[in-house]
Amino acid sequence: MSFTIELERENVVTPLGSVRWRTDFPILRERVNGKPLVYLDNAATTQKPQAVIDALSSYYAHDNANVHRGVHTLSQRATDIYETARVKIQRFINAASAEEIVFVRGATEAINLVAQSYARPRLKPGDEILVSAMEHHSNIVPWQLLGEQTGAVLKVVPINDAGELELDAFRRLLGPRTRLVAITHLSNALGSIVPIEAVIALAHDRGVPVLIDGAQAISHLPVDVRALGCDFYAFSGHKIYGPTGIGVLYGRKELLDAMPPYQGGGDMISSVTFERTEYNDLPYKFEAGTPNIAGAIGLGAALDYVSAIGMRAIAAHEQDLLSYATEAVSGIPGLRIIGTARRKASILSFMLEGLHPHDVGTILDNEGVAIRAGHHCAMPVMQRYGIVGTARASFALYNTREEVDALAAGIRKAQEMFRR
């Protein structure tokens, strides 16, 4: 079968295998253990295009200054490009205004912000927070901490053997004490795409707000927060070709307005005396201290980059890779794929009979193939399947079918070494 995608940036049709934008990523020219780098650890972090690297370098070389606080030229320039990045993010996820975009360190901090600022003041003993059985630790531990602080209870929506959310169970668990649903959009361990439209509709029918952990989904699926109707959406910049240490919390304005600050310090205030403090407007009341200015600018550049290619094109390419990879490894004796949801993206997790995932990862690394091995910060998922962990290959816009072939060859080599 021949696959093609339309490159919106150049308005031409190009065979998927060629991946013309691959040359935009300088690190992909590296060699590892004498072999060309095959980078398949994108669910952990993505590589950065030259456009993002240049944006970071340009900021530090030409515009470096603190934002919002200076009347001098450099500060004004830094503030302009920093706030322009916020607007880019607003448009990328279709938020109603830039006020709804809060800069944080990553999805983890965004979830903790909602836990402590939105949920904690509202929860009483016996109140319930719903999560799914496929959550990352970052969408489990903050709610457990909140339970210890408030007496609230964590309820877990099960998944089936394929790694799909059991919607009927979700309906049953939604009850009179449910105060918040916090759920992933795309599982980092299984690749399952959660039907969040249905989740949000069911929750809102009960008057329950919904937080979506979009850390994995943001680089693989189009995200329109107004179309989804979610109350909060969290993601990290480094998962979508941006820098580490920068992330975003989207929140509906009326909810953010009602929430107290998460941290205190500079720039989140409008006035301070020893008697009282008046807080700044949105989104600044949640952004205490000097922010990651360069990180925000780099994230803005990353969103410009993926927007120029087009999320449709990226999704089509990655779906082709996932289908090709699934077929390529399915014929390998002793290999078991973990996560076979009907709606799935970007992630191929597997077990190899007789080999620990760490051994698989080490042998593949010797072949220049970078994957992740372990529990992927999703230990309850591993417990659900009765395993210690998986080997996980995860795909991005710059990966190719030839790299999938290298993965399959490396797996077979691992088996041969084990048989010896």
Side-chain angles (χ1 to χ4, degrees):
M1 184 179 295
S2 175
F3 290 88
T4 60
I5 54 176
E6 181 178 336
L7 299 187
E8 296 177 14
R9 178 171 56 186
E10 299 179 2
N11 196 31
V12 296
V13 174
T14 301
L16 282 169
S18 63
V19 192
R20 293 180 61 179
W21 51 80
R22 184 177 169 83
T23 57
D24 295 339
F25 294 80
I27 201 170
L28 298 182
R29 296 190 284 272
E30 291 291 310
R31 296 182 72 85
V32 173
N33 295 317
K35 310 284 178 56
L37 170 64
V38 175
Y39 186 79
L40 300 176
D41 193 20
N42 297 287
T45 195
T46 51
Q47 298 301 340
K48 317 309 171 194
Q50 190 64 51
V52 170
I53 297 169
D54 289 346
L56 295 171
S57 178
S58 177
Y59 165 72
Y60 282 122
H62 301 291
D63 303 305
N64 181 45
N66 215 329
V67 294
H68 301 147
R69 300 169 187 164
V71 296
H72 61 83
T73 298
L74 282 187
S75 179
Q76 291 177 5
R77 288 209 312 240
T79 298
D80 286 345
I81 53 178
Y82 175 75
E83 290 301 333
T84 296
R86 195 190 305 272
V87 173
K88 290 177 181 179
I89 295 159
Q90 173 214 336
R91 291 172 178 167
F92 188 78
I93 64 172
N94 195 31
S97 75
E99 294 175 298
E100 298 181 321
I101 304 301
V102 179
F103 283 126
V104 288
R105 289 178 298 169
T108 298
E109 184 176 11
I111 293 167
N112 277 273
L113 192 163
V114 174
Q116 294 300 318
S117 183
Y118 175 79
R120 186 175 181 178
R122 292 167 171 78
L123 293 181
K124 299 179 177 60
D127 285 346
E128 297 170 356
I129 302 161
L130 263 58
V131 299
S132 81
M134 67 179 92
E135 300 303 324
H136 188 282
H137 298 167
S138 293
N139 201 30
I140 298 173
V141 180
W143 310 115
Q144 291 176 331
L145 292 171
L146 192 63
E148 294 171 2
Q149 295 162 348
T150 65
V153 178
L154 196 64
K155 296 286 187 178
V156 182
V157 183
I159 58 176
N160 63 21
D161 290 342
E164 297 165 327
L165 187 79
E166 295 189 2
L167 267 179
D168 287 341
F170 177 72
R171 289 187 185 92
R172 291 193 299 271
L173 284 168
L174 270 174
R177 298 304 299 270
T178 305
R179 297 292 178 261
L180 181 71
V181 172
I183 197 163
T184 187
H185 194 168
L186 171 61
S187 166
N188 75 304
L190 303 171
S192 308
I193 300 173
V194 175
I196 58 171
E197 297 89 346
V199 166
I200 293 166
L202 288 167
H204 283 181
D205 282 347
R206 298 288 193 97
V208 177
V210 180
L211 176 147
I212 303 297
D213 175 0
Q216 287 299 322
I218 193 66
S219 61
H220 305 293
L221 306 173
V223 173
D224 183 329
V225 293
R226 281 193 280 179
L228 291 172
C230 59
D231 302 281
F232 300 101
Y233 198 97
F235 68 91
S236 300
H238 72 100
K239 306 284 191 182
I240 186 166
Y241 312 102
T244 55
I246 189 71
V248 171
L249 172 67
Y250 157 79
R252 288 197 293 111
K253 184 177 185 297
E254 57 268 32
L255 298 180
L256 294 176
D257 271 333
M259 291 160 55
Y262 174 49
Q263 297 174 323
D267 218 32
M268 49 74 65
I269 58 90
S270 59
S271 69
V272 174
T273 68
F274 284 112
E275 289 70 38
R276 61 169 301 179
T277 294
E278 293 183 5
Y279 302 126
N280 207 340
D281 298 329
L282 290 177
Y284 310 112
K285 78 172 180 180
F286 295 111
E287 297 179 356
T290 298
N292 184 354
I293 303 166
I297 293 166
L299 176 54
L303 298 187
D304 284 343
Y305 181 83
V306 298
S307 296
I309 296 171
M311 290 303 297
R312 279 193 310 108
I314 293 169
H317 175 59
E318 291 174 349
Q319 282 297 321
D320 173 74
L321 285 176
L322 181 60
S323 297
Y324 184 75
T326 302
E327 185 175 350
V329 305
S330 292
I332 298 176
L335 187 142
R336 175 191 173 197
I337 295 175
I338 306 296
T340 55
R342 287 163 293 181
R343 294 186 68 217
K344 185 177 172 181
S346 77
I347 286 169
L348 183 70
S349 285
F350 61 92
M351 294 283 293
L352 205 55
E353 186 179 0
L355 279 173
H356 193 283
H358 289 169
D359 294 329
V360 177
T362 300
I363 294 168
L364 285 171
D365 182 61
N366 289 335
E367 300 301 306
V369 180
I371 66 163
R372 182 67 46 154
H375 54 67
H376 318 302
C377 293
M379 292 180 76
V381 174
M382 305 304 143
Q383 293 159 5
R384 165 65 176 79
Y385 288 95
I387 57 179
V388 296
T390 67
R392 182 189 71 188
S394 49
F395 306 107
L397 63 87
Y398 41 66
N399 292 127
T400 66
R401 285 186 171 197
E402 290 77 14
E403 291 183 315
V404 171
D405 293 338
L407 169 68
I411 294 170
R412 290 190 175 90
K413 185 166 186 176
Q415 283 186 319
E416 292 170 5
M417 292 178 66
F418 172 71
R419 291 193 188 103
R420 295 174 194 163

